[in-house]
Amino acid sequence: MRENALGQVPPRVAGVLTVDLAAIAENYRILKAAMQQRAVGAVVKADGYGLGAERVAPALVKAGARSLFVAQLDEALKLRPVLDRCHPALSLYVLNGLMPGAEADYADNNILPVLNSLGQIDAWAAFARSRDKVLPAAVHLDSGMCRLGLPPDEVEALRADPGRLDGIVPTCVLSHLACADEPQHPKNAEQLAALKAALTALPRAPVSFCNSSGLFLGPDYHFDLGRPGVALYGVNPTPAAPNPMRQVVRLQAKILQIRAIDAPQTVGYGATHRATGPARIATVAAGYADGYLRSISSRGHAWVAGHRVPVVGRVSMDLLALDVTGVAPEKVQPGDWADLLNGEQDVDALAREAGTIGYEILTSLGARYHRLYVD
Ligand SMILES: *Cc1c(COP(=O)(O)O)cnc(C)c1O
């Protein structure tokens, strides 16, 4: 992560999230290489995993992505005009499917529904007939995740009556892996076999099977179009091995006050941290309302003036406390920045301290942080 441009940040700003768009583009290229240069799209749901879809999506298009995926129709409606300014021929898919009654919102805005059930296929086909048109869409086959997508009995119904797809041009057939981050898990091969069997019930179309971790399961899993999300944003898609991705985010929050304490003083709500001797406590302007999860209380670490320092006591809504006793007093002053995420402590490391996964750390990143994009 290159040095960020904190000089651009006005003094009123209490927290800065720096997003390295060049690192995102590099991660796209790493994933494209893992996919042996086949087509790779980009999942930008949940506001680009918390980093700002309107900024990360154009960077991914510039890197080569031509298929973009969001979860909700509202996300797609917001992103469509942004994408139209980037490139004339981008496919934008709504993973959560077709919302009954909203068919025209997809069709009129060049947004592709991912048809997740026979009911959605019938509704999209009927809508196409009502417009006297042939309409594109993706079809999602459930190969064993049991979340969204056509279950096996609906796939068989489609095989028996292929006319139900009349009026629909499948631009993509997709399926989703449940255990791709565990390469040895038997579910991966089971889902691969289930997908191959289900594909014979459908007309030929490009197949998309792999999320970030799936891309590292090898060529048997690749098919035609990769569909990564989290790895683009720097989270390790291969948790059992070193992270092949480049770090994308840096998170800094301002130190508001520094207080010298001594036993028997306690720090924070619940008085859970008890000084055992002289100490210096820095109060920092980030809390669980900013997605700095309360589970990090008394467990996490931050970086101040090049020192790794512990989070002490409970994380509160807008504040957290760091024990900076080990940092020379002249090196840490109110107004200085504490690094909550940086080159020493990545999203996965903070997630471990919080007892969660990198996905949740990223998508929890608060709206109050000033977002700074570097390229
Ligand atoms: C979120 C999602 C992805 C991206 O998954 P990552 O693990 O973030 O790469 C791909 N496909 C579907 C259906 C998803 O819901």
Side-chain angles (χ1 to χ4, degrees), residues 43 45 49 95 140 147 174 176 210-213 227-231 359:
V43 181
K45 61 191 179 187
Y49 288 58
L95 291 167
H140 183 173
R147 197 173 67 167
L174 68 88
H176 194 46
C210 289
N211 66 342
S212 299
S213 296
R227 211 172 64 242
V230 84
Y359 295 77

Side-chain angles (χ1 to χ4, degrees), residues 2-356:
R2 63 189 77 181
E3 203 39 51
N4 65 10
L6 282 181
Q8 301 172 23
V9 174
R12 63 181 157 75
V13 168
V16 177
L17 178 71
T18 305
V19 179
D20 187 342
L21 296 174
I24 291 178
E26 180 61 21
N27 287 339
Y28 179 84
R29 289 188 280 275
I30 292 169
L31 295 172
K32 183 116 175 151
M35 182 83 181
Q36 298 175 318
Q37 304 303 330
R38 288 180 208 202
V40 174
V43 181
V44 295
K45 61 191 179 187
D47 198 24
Y49 288 58
L51 303 186
E54 299 188 13
R55 297 302 295 269
V56 305
L60 287 160
V61 170
K62 201 170 149 208
R66 295 294 174 262
S67 299
L68 288 297
F69 299 84
V70 292
Q72 300 188 351
L73 176 56
D74 271 347
E75 296 181 294
L77 288 169
K78 247 176 97 181
L79 201 55
R80 186 75 252 185
V82 177
L83 295 179
D84 287 341
R85 289 195 288 275
C86 297
H87 191 278
L90 299 175
S91 302
L92 177 58
Y93 291 97
V94 174
L95 291 167
N96 280 8
L98 185 67
M99 308 294 280
E103 288 83 359
D105 289 326
Y106 298 80
D108 295 343
N109 293 288
N110 190 18
I111 292 166
L112 300 163
V114 173
L115 303 174
N116 283 324
S117 66
L118 264 188
Q120 291 182 14
I121 288 175
D122 291 344
W124 194 238
F127 180 74
R129 276 195 299 279
S130 78
R131 291 237 167 148
D132 215 5
K133 272 192 177 157
V134 175
L135 292 177
V139 177
H140 183 173
L141 304 178
D142 179 9
S143 54
M145 174 96 174
C146 209
R147 197 173 67 167
L148 295 174
L150 276 71
D153 61 317
E154 294 196 352
V155 173
E156 289 319 307
L158 202 53
R159 190 194 302 279
D161 185 5
R164 288 175 86 159
L165 279 168
D166 285 353
I168 300 175
V169 195
T171 54
C172 172
V173 176
L174 68 88
S175 192
H176 194 46
L177 287 155
C179 305
D181 57 337
E182 298 175 62
Q184 303 310 325
H185 202 295
K187 185 100 192 171
N188 293 318
E190 283 168 31
Q191 284 196 256
L192 179 60
L195 172 60
K196 283 183 173 164
L199 283 174
T200 61
L202 286 179
R204 269 192 175 285
V207 175
S208 175
F209 195 29
C210 289
N211 66 342
S212 299
S213 296
L215 290 174
F216 293 88
L217 293 176
D220 287 352
Y221 288 80
H222 286 164
F223 294 93
D224 307 300
L225 172 66
R227 211 172 64 242
V230 84
L232 293 166
Y233 313 110
V235 169
N236 189 357
T238 57
N243 190 352
M245 312 316 299
R246 273 189 58 187
Q247 185 158 357
V248 169
V249 295
R250 179 172 182 180
L251 179 60
Q252 293 160 290
K254 227 174 233 176
I255 295 172
L256 301 175
Q257 295 195 358
I258 297 169
R259 172 155 321 199
I261 62 167
D262 201 348
Q265 182 65 53
T266 65
V267 177
Y269 282 124
T272 58
H273 179 75
R274 203 169 277 283
T276 52
R280 284 180 9 268
I281 303 296
T283 301
V284 176
Y288 59 76
D290 302 296
Y292 194 83
L293 304 180
R294 192 165 175 273
S295 57
I296 301 168
S297 298
S298 300
R299 295 174 61 178
H301 292 84
W303 288 78
V304 171
H307 293 259
R308 183 171 187 258
V309 297
V311 174
V312 290
R314 286 193 188 150
V315 173
S316 49
M317 185 184 295
D318 317 293
L319 300 166
L320 62 95
L322 300 174
D323 184 338
V324 295
T325 313
V327 187
E330 66 277 11
K331 288 213 171 137
V332 48
Q333 304 288 330
D336 290 350
W337 297 99
D339 274 25
L340 307 180
L341 291 168
N342 64 7
E344 307 292 337
Q345 174 166 273
D346 63 13
V347 173
D348 293 295
L350 187 64
R352 274 190 297 277
E353 293 193 322
T356 183

